[in-house]
Amino acid sequence: MYAAIAAARKDASVILLDKSLVGRGGATVMAQMTVAAAIGQQEPDDWKIHFADTIKAGRGLCDEELSALLCEDGPKRILEMEQWGTRWARENGHIKQEMAPGHSRRRCCYVDFLNTGPAVAATLRRKVGEINDIRRISNIAVIEIVTKDGRALGAVGLNLLDGELVTFQAKAVIVAAGGLTKLYARNSASANMGGEGYALALWAGAELVDMEFVQFFPIGHLAPRLVGMDPIMWDPFRYKLGGKLLNGQFEEFVDRYGGTDFGRYTATRDLASYSILKEVEAGRGSPHGGVYLDFRHIPEVQLRAAFGPVIDRLLLNGIDLTNTPVEVGPMAHYHMGGVRVNANMETRIKGLFAAGEVVGGANGANRLSGNAITEALVFGERAGSSAAEAVKHTQVDWNSELTGVALERVRALKNRRSNGGVPPVALQAELQNLMWEKAGPFRTGEKLAVALARIQQMQRDDLPNASVTDETWYNLDLQDWFELRAMLATAETLVGSALARNESRGAHQREDFPDANESLLKNQVIELRNGEILSRWTAPVQLNRRDESHG
Ligand SMILES: Cc1cc2nc3c(=O)[nH]c(=O)nc-3n(C[C@H](O)[C@H](O)[C@H](O)COP(=O)(O)OP(=O)(O)OC[C@H]3O[C@@H](n4cnc5c(N)ncnc54)[C@H](O)[C@@H]3O)c2cc1C
């Protein structure tokens, strides 16, 4: 949405397509915590300090140009969002900013109570709605980006309501389709996070970078059932209130793995994930395969003082923290890798841009809390304005043949029907379990090789024979089939990259290579050539474009 606004601001005419209702799908609407930006209202700060923190978390693999852009433009975007109506929490007349792990300053803004992402999305939806040059079209799943001679020329979409294919001609295309955490059985994802954007960009000829780096959040919500709330919301609770992490036998356990948590959970994310998974492996997990997070020792008045209305929303979900510990465990939460772009957000395909979580590189091997929404806003703005500039100088002699070839290819895929095969949704579930078991938080070469072989077999045998019914209206098989096709392509790049990175670094943890290997202080770049995935290692992009002028 930010990309659309920025492009329209530069006089471009924009079509904004979404698989769900525009502005209601994906991660942003679900994100309830904070947005990091060095606005320096809580305490003195500078984008260069935020940049240094981001680079440190990225363990040497950040694309420093992208990280610098994120940190330098973050404050402008946060303040612009406020002008457009986002009510950041305020204190004594200034925007209130909190500390979060890995940040060396209090720089995380939020909207009370746990309402950050929904408020950001609402502001952008409103803004988009005010601009005549943005045409919003919901319920279109983009299934192919049309290219010719190394240039993006539009897209083919599947109308989810009637199953018809629709073509869009455009002088520039921006992929802003979010992350890939739905590839995992345990995830914090909401709708449409199957990683389709990565596959679309790869098929169109763009490169992907560092696909192996998936961030797993240690205490995602497992049980009791929680509806309409962010499954990773327990972090602010435990920071503020000091929850205890207990195994299935109600014992504290992190000290068995080198932690020092007694009476209060303070372990780092990697140690917490590791100890939880090891307790579960040892048969000491909670009923839903995680551990307990316990706030029963905190008086209700203290819970209410810290989280007010959220306590009531939990009660509506049947969760009374004064007498119920919740079950939590690691889950796939964010993806650091993604589409390889330059600082204008352009891929190597002319006219093909990317923005948001689908972009790889800004956060290297691990992401700081709060950097992802900033990334979506900053990269959205940059992608939209760059694309609008680019189309001013682009002449394309439109004719229907340009999209016709792509349309025919997709039509052939759509028209293949097979009854009696496995439904695509069942294959998606198998893929999710496979990814969780074999390419999850702690990986080995052996497990990854099994995953890769099965993914390739699914692409070769199961996908073409999957069962898709003939229904016209809202044919879920058809939607799931195209989603599965993209999920498999993205999963293949992720697992292949994880297999090649024989080291542990940041979020990529290999039990068979527990240490970082300095010779792998490189980015892994993926491309598709004649249907084959090729990968190569490149030196990370360093920031040297701006030293004097920025002191
Ligand atoms: C539960 C949760 C909590 C989080 N909390 C925080 C937080 O507190 N702070 C923070 O900084 N980050 C947080 N993150 C991460 C952050 O929210 C995301 O990285 C960011 O919002 C991504 O924005 P985006 O615009 O790139 O993608 P999204 O917001 O995911 O939007 C992508 C859009 O693309 C659409 N789409 C996908 N595929 C297609 C297709 N094929 N065709 C058409 N449309 C398609 C989707 O429907 C969706 O509308 C959280 C993430 C989750 C899941």
Side-chain angles (χ1 to χ4, degrees), residues 224 296 300 303 311 314-315 317-326:
R296 285 175 300 173
E300 185 173 352
L303 291 171
I311 303 297
L314 285 168
L315 284 171
N317 274 279
I319 301 175
D320 177 355
L321 294 179
T322 60
N323 65 30
T324 322
V326 293

Side-chain angles (χ1 to χ4, degrees), residues 422-439:
V422 182
V425 72
L427 293 168
Q428 287 192 10
E430 185 193 335
L431 175 65
Q432 289 176 310
N433 286 323
L434 182 77
M435 292 295 286
W436 182 253
E437 297 293 329
K438 310 286 184 207

